[in-house]
Amino acid sequence: MPFNTPNVSPASNHAIVTPGAAPVELDLSGFLYEAVDASSFTDVKSWSQFFDLVPVDPYIQEGYRFKAIAWFRVKHDKAVAIEGIDQHIAAVNELSGMNETESKKYLSSSEPTWHSKETGYSVWNLPQYAMQQSIKYNPVHGDMRREYPRIDEAIVNSTGFHNLLIHYASFFGWSDAIVLVQFQRVDCLANRVGQPTVEGFHQDGNRHVAMLIVNRNNITSDSGVSQYVMDDNGKKTDELIFDAVIPPGQLIYWNDKRVWHYGSPLTVANPEVNGGRGVRDIIIMSAKTPPANMPIGPVPEKFRK
Ligand SMILES: [Fe+2]
């Protein structure tokens, strides 16, 4: 199915985000997914080369996944800080061996790393926490702590990246959240496919998720097809509501409570080019607000200052 034809379901309402007042959140009961052209506010192509530097994900034995991550706190100035977020950050900082002075820099009572004047959102760049998912949501990786290197600082500090984070926050209009950003490459070789979703159709335990396609190179047109089916009280249904290849430059938001997502395996288009390798590079962003899933583990020793 070609992209951008009948199958898009824009939100029936919009979040209201202004610098002068606390945001009015998007009503998620009326929202399944929506695609946005990100090229107007961010230069995705310039990040493409960074994916070549992202190291292999040591938790995928077959070696087809590469991942770098970064954590942010994104809070609106006019919104009251969610106490659970500050408590959670303080607790994980302590487990990371930080003293109180250092730890405080990451709390909402401290100066943010940067600020968006147009929207009123403030952002704190958080330490390089490990990912520690609740066993409820990931049967493959359970409660294991996973350590990933940081996304390149030049990207994290760029206007295009800031625009992307603020677009995500403003689309949903949350008051305060921790955002996990994952830069992820999946590759394939002539004799080995790549799996964008190891666990098949799934949910990740977030309220909503953003995925930006950065690059598709030397993969067949039926590789990395994005598919969504409806959730029925925590169970996957067979009702396919989205089935398309999302092209580079497109950002898609979806309601992780109401739909299950999947990406089809990658196969090489032409074994004669690019060293016989195909790749698909994406950015995944997920916002976390207690009491929901807060998958933060202590900063791994090797990433401590
Ligand atoms: Fe997922």
Side-chain angles (χ1 to χ4, degrees):
M1 180 183 298
F3 189 67
N4 267 351
T5 43
N7 225 351
V8 176
S9 67
S12 55
N13 62 79
H14 289 279
I16 302 167
V17 176
T18 59
V24 179
E25 215 166 329
L26 177 78
D27 177 6
L28 288 172
S29 69
F31 177 71
L32 294 180
Y33 61 87
E34 187 166 329
V36 174
D37 181 1
S39 57
S40 61
F41 57 86
T42 190
D43 180 18
V44 175
K45 278 199 198 97
S46 69
W47 299 341
S48 212
Q49 54 191 1
F50 169 66
F51 284 84
D52 288 333
L53 307 174
V54 175
V56 71
D57 181 337
Y59 308 103
I60 298 288
Q61 218 184 346
E62 294 85 351
Y64 54 71
R65 195 165 82 181
F66 304 75
K67 197 196 280 279
I69 66 169
W71 299 91
F72 303 90
R73 165 89 169 266
V74 184
K75 179 195 162 290
H76 197 279
D77 295 348
K78 299 290 178 188
V80 179
I82 294 176
E83 219 178 297
I85 294 183
D86 281 309
Q87 284 166 359
H88 205 90
I89 290 173
V92 185
N93 286 352
E94 196 181 338
L95 289 170
S96 307
M98 257 179 246
N99 64 37
E100 217 169 304
T101 317
E102 175 69 10
S103 176
K104 271 195 178 140
K105 287 192 216 158
Y106 303 106
L107 303 182
S108 60
S109 49
S110 288
E111 277 292 298
T113 317
W114 56 275
H115 178 255
S116 156
K117 253 202 295 202
E118 298 72 27
T119 61
Y121 276 114
S122 282
V123 179
W124 289 258
N125 290 3
L126 297 179
Q128 196 58 14
Y129 300 126
M131 283 174 69
Q132 196 169 344
Q133 240 171 349
S134 158
I135 199 154
K136 240 165 75 193
Y137 294 108
N138 190 334
V140 177
H141 290 120
D143 231 350
M144 191 173 68
R145 192 176 292 173
R146 291 186 284 154
E147 306 178 352
Y148 292 107
R150 191 166 174 82
I151 297 161
D152 192 271
E153 289 300 326
I155 291 177
V156 163
N157 297 324
S158 69
T159 307
F161 185 82
H162 291 183
N163 289 346
L164 181 61
L165 259 189
I166 293 302
H167 196 280
Y168 179 32
S170 306
F171 184 89
F172 289 101
W174 68 68
S175 60
D176 188 7
I178 288 177
V179 179
L180 168 63
V181 180
Q182 307 181 56
F183 275 47
Q184 181 171 297
R185 162 171 285 183
V186 172
D187 79 350
C188 55
L189 305 169
N191 59 359
R192 184 204 11 82
V193 299
Q195 295 288 357
T197 43
V198 189
E199 60 278 71
F201 273 98
H202 67 284
Q203 294 167 303
D204 290 298
N206 299 297
R207 297 172 68 217
H208 42 68
V209 184
M211 178 175 76
L212 171 60
I213 305 290
V214 176
N215 185 34
R216 293 172 58 94
N217 184 21
N218 197 27
I219 52 177
T220 56
S221 59
D222 61 351
S223 290
V225 178
S226 293
Q227 296 182 327
Y228 299 155
V229 296
M230 291 297 290
D231 172 85
D232 177 21
N233 289 311
K235 285 199 197 76
K236 174 188 164 292
T237 66
D238 294 325
E239 191 190 337
L240 204 55
I241 57 159
F242 186 88
D243 181 15
V245 169
I246 303 171
Q250 291 283 324
L251 170 65
I252 190 157
Y253 293 119
W254 74 84
N255 185 334
D256 191 43
K257 288 268 185 285
R258 296 192 59 203
V259 305
W260 292 53
H261 60 278
Y262 174 71
S264 72
L266 310 184
T267 50
V268 173
N270 183 352
E272 306 298 320
V273 302
N274 201 34
R277 185 187 191 212
V279 300
R280 177 173 176 265
D281 300 329
I282 63 171
I283 298 169
I284 308 157
M285 299 186 289
S286 50
K288 292 106 177 27
T289 297
N293 189 22
M294 299 277 282
I296 292 180
V299 178
E301 205 84 55
K302 61 186 167 201
F303 300 135
R304 292 182 194 177
K305 288 180 196 144

